[in-house]
Amino acid sequence: MATYSSRAGLSGSGISGGGGGSEIPLWQGEAEREQYESFADLFAIIKTTEKLEKAYVRDLISPADYEPACARLIGQFRTLRTALQGAVPDIERFMTTYKMDCPAAKNRLLVAGVPATVEHKSATVECGSATVAVAETVQHFITAMDTVKLNMLAVDQVHPLLSLLLNSLCSVPSLPAEFEGRTKVRDWLVRLNGMSASEELSEEQARQLSFDLESSYSVFMQSLGIKN
């Protein structure tokens, strides 16, 4: 992070006190400098997400371009949030401190945790693609259920699998818009998104997630006319 000096224009460590005096340090040591740079990165991610959300709502960016860009920002946000959890335990307070009026970014990063195209996707795919979507959904269900059974319960282990599952569920055209399994997976993603990546689900939470996945899988298979 570059800082301004009244004499040289830029300084890597502080601001000149004027009159040829000594510089006033902006940070104490490399660790503090890196922390401030991480604050700047977090600020930039939130602001960029806000602009991306507004561009999507105003139809200034196509869904095909929006989705990977948003997913990348969400991934960067989650990684940085974990790294800064000691210095920035409350993202909303960080936004208030730096006067960030970014309601769309707040919803996308702190609540939904997935791109809007995934959260509200309506499936309109051809027959061949529908078959692939069903196969992928079955695989994602099985992977998620096995992960919980193996007690791999850290948020950064479970969240990506549920994101893939939700995405594939949204691609199956035969499912109604309010398919219960899709709602349950989305609710779990919202819950996990409020936790840090290193946190683990409690025994009670893991048991509930396992139940929700298995019951949703059963209903999904029944909707396809398959008895599992």
Side-chain angles (χ1 to χ4, degrees), residues 46-61 66-67 69-71 73-74 102-109 112 114-117 119-120:
I46 294 172
K47 283 289 190 180
T48 302
T49 303
E50 181 73 13
K51 290 185 179 297
L52 181 64
E53 291 294 300
K54 289 182 177 179
Y56 176 66
V57 169
R58 294 169 183 168
D59 234 3
L60 300 177
I61 183 173
Y66 162 82
E67 188 169 316
C70 186
L73 285 167
I74 291 171
C102 301
K106 178 180 174 182
N107 176 69
R108 188 60 49 213
L109 298 172
V114 292
T117 44
E119 186 181 11
H120 306 296

Side-chain angles (χ1 to χ4, degrees), residues 33-228:
R33 183 186 67 82
E34 290 182 358
Q35 178 175 287
Y36 277 112
E37 287 186 346
S38 294
F39 287 175
D41 290 338
L42 180 59
F43 185 95
I45 288 171
I46 294 172
K47 283 289 190 180
T48 302
T49 303
E50 181 73 13
K51 290 185 179 297
L52 181 64
E53 291 294 300
K54 289 182 177 179
Y56 176 66
V57 169
R58 294 169 183 168
D59 234 3
L60 300 177
I61 183 173
S62 70
D65 290 332
Y66 162 82
E67 188 169 316
C70 186
R72 184 168 59 252
L73 285 167
I74 291 171
Q76 292 170 337
F77 170 77
R78 291 188 63 81
T79 299
L80 193 54
R81 181 184 189 182
T82 299
L84 288 173
Q85 59 185 346
V88 188
D90 188 335
I91 298 295
E92 291 187 52
R93 181 174 295 180
F94 175 88
M95 294 174 68
T96 299
T97 299
Y98 292 100
K99 297 179 173 56
M100 303 180 71
D101 183 20
C102 301
K106 178 180 174 182
N107 176 69
R108 188 60 49 213
L109 298 172
L110 296 178
V111 180
V114 292
T117 44
V118 174
E119 186 181 11
H120 306 296
K121 183 178 291 182
S122 57
T124 54
V125 293
E126 298 178 355
C127 183
S129 298
T131 302
V132 172
V134 168
E136 289 180 344
T137 301
V138 170
Q139 184 59 53
H140 291 320
F141 260 123
I142 293 172
T143 301
M145 290 188 291
D146 287 349
T147 296
V148 177
K149 288 177 182 177
L150 291 171
N151 288 319
M152 299 171 66
L153 304 177
V155 171
D156 60 359
Q157 293 174 314
V158 179
H159 190 283
L161 300 180
L162 294 187
S163 293
L164 289 172
L165 176 56
L166 178 61
N167 199 16
S168 61
L169 281 169
C170 291
S171 299
V172 179
S174 60
L175 293 178
E178 295 306 318
F179 172 62
E180 183 180 5
R182 184 159 46 207
T183 302
K184 286 182 177 180
V185 173
R186 185 182 296 125
D187 289 345
W188 271 105
L189 280 170
V190 170
R191 186 180 307 182
L192 293 174
N193 206 45
M195 302 167 64
S196 66
S198 59
E199 284 187 74
E200 290 196 357
L201 297 177
S202 66
E203 182 178 347
E204 182 180 352
Q205 288 173 322
R207 186 172 182 178
Q208 184 63 52
L209 175 57
S210 181
F211 175 80
D212 287 344
L213 287 172
E214 290 180 12
S215 60
S216 297
Y217 178 66
S218 179
V219 174
F220 175 74
M221 298 301 283
Q222 289 173 16
S223 73
L224 301 175
I226 302 173
K227 294 183 179 180
N228 60 321

